[in-house]
Amino acid sequence: MDETSGSTRPQGRTTPAPLSSPISRRVFLAGAAATALTRPMFSLPLSDLLAPAFLHLATRSSQTSCVHTYAITADQCELVGSTTVDSFAAFAEHPVLPIIYVARDCSHWQHLPRGVVDTYAVERSNRPLHLLAQTPMALSATGPRSLAVSPCGRYLLASASTGRAWNAFILQSDGTPESVAISRKETGVLLSSGSASSTTPHAVVFSPRESYAVGADPGSECLTLLQPSQERIAVLSRCHTPTGFALSSPVWTADGKYLIAANARTPSLSIYTVRMALNSETG
């Protein structure tokens, strides 16, 4: 176990595919709809409810990459426009503001080995993404693969796969990141053979209810609970997964109690329970 803070621990079990949980189609769809809801719709004023929501999809090729912006209303989904992005790696949306973050795997930024995060404002126009800022990742944080924004909109987390690190950015009130990234370098875990595993931080996903995120590392075959703060990225817990990870992002359930990840070596899913243990002191 690495540095710990608190007592949040993921505990896993594997469910062979196809899933055989005794739930009805209606219950499943209701849960999926709740997971897809990204803002508290019923707490918004009527004018905001009638305004279009934005959906972003990315396409990549060897020559170019594009982020496509769609406006969604009650009765239609309309393509607003597409934005070309060099060295596209991943994107994430702000939970409240019309802001999107794009990580670029440029290998070098301003002559230093690191990736960069572009911040865009989203507008309903022929050019829907307006560049606000370009924020470099920490030194040697190369190979970004995933971005995630905390539900409170205060922190942005990024994985640096080839740089073997996690990066965190503090987000300002307008959604732009502060200029200096907080970095946490991964060194691998000790295997039963006595050798150390190689680390490749890949996917990072925030809990929908809490200020911590799960980071998936296919190299060390570990799930790590990460909690960013003003000063550092703390590790709350680690969980080794003997079945490995497929190169896809884990998914939280809407209540934040469970995490579902695809396994690499078997056609199956693993379901992890995240439990908050209470510390008691006597005397």
Side-chain angles (χ1 to χ4, degrees), residues 12-38:
R13 61 186 177 86
T14 300
T15 303
L19 295 175
S20 57
S21 303
I23 61 174
S24 67
R25 180 174 178 272
R26 177 176 296 179
V27 171
F28 173 79
L29 291 177
T35 303
L37 191 64
T38 58

Side-chain angles (χ1 to χ4, degrees), residues 150-163:
S150 61
C152 64
R154 184 60 176 151
Y155 299 103
L156 173 69
L157 276 177
S159 67
S161 184
T162 56

Side-chain angles (χ1 to χ4, degrees), residues 159-162 164-166 186 198-203 216-220 247:
S159 67
S161 184
T162 56
R164 301 183 179 184
W166 308 102
E186 293 287 12
S198 61
T199 59
T200 54
H202 187 76
D217 186 335
S220 63
L247 293 181

Side-chain angles (χ1 to χ4, degrees), residues 55-77:
L55 170 69
H56 295 93
L57 300 174
T59 55
R60 285 190 291 184
S61 68
S62 57
Q63 287 77 29
T64 186
S65 301
C66 287
V67 175
H68 309 284
T69 302
Y70 294 83
I72 301 175
T73 60
D75 56 357
Q76 68 175 352
C77 177

Side-chain angles (χ1 to χ4, degrees), residues 34-109:
T35 303
L37 191 64
T38 58
R39 59 177 178 171
M41 296 292 289
F42 298 105
S43 65
L44 296 174
L46 181 59
S47 59
D48 287 346
L49 289 173
L50 297 178
F54 292 107
L55 170 69
H56 295 93
L57 300 174
T59 55
R60 285 190 291 184
S61 68
S62 57
Q63 287 77 29
T64 186
S65 301
C66 287
V67 175
H68 309 284
T69 302
Y70 294 83
I72 301 175
T73 60
D75 56 357
Q76 68 175 352
C77 177
E78 174 192 356
L79 175 62
V80 178
S82 300
T83 304
T84 301
V85 178
D86 293 333
S87 307
F88 174 88
F91 75 87
E93 297 172 331
H94 194 282
V96 179
L97 302 174
I99 297 286
I100 182 175
Y101 306 94
V102 177
R104 295 201 286 124
D105 187 6
C106 54
S107 71
H108 283 78
W109 176 253

Side-chain angles (χ1 to χ4, degrees), residues 125-162:
S125 66
N126 292 333
R127 300 181 64 182
L129 300 187
H130 172 65
L131 184 63
L132 297 178
Q134 293 182 306
T135 310
M137 298 176 69
L139 189 63
S140 80
T142 55
R145 294 293 180 267
S146 182
L147 288 176
V149 185
S150 61
C152 64
R154 184 60 176 151
Y155 299 103
L156 173 69
L157 276 177
S159 67
S161 184
T162 56

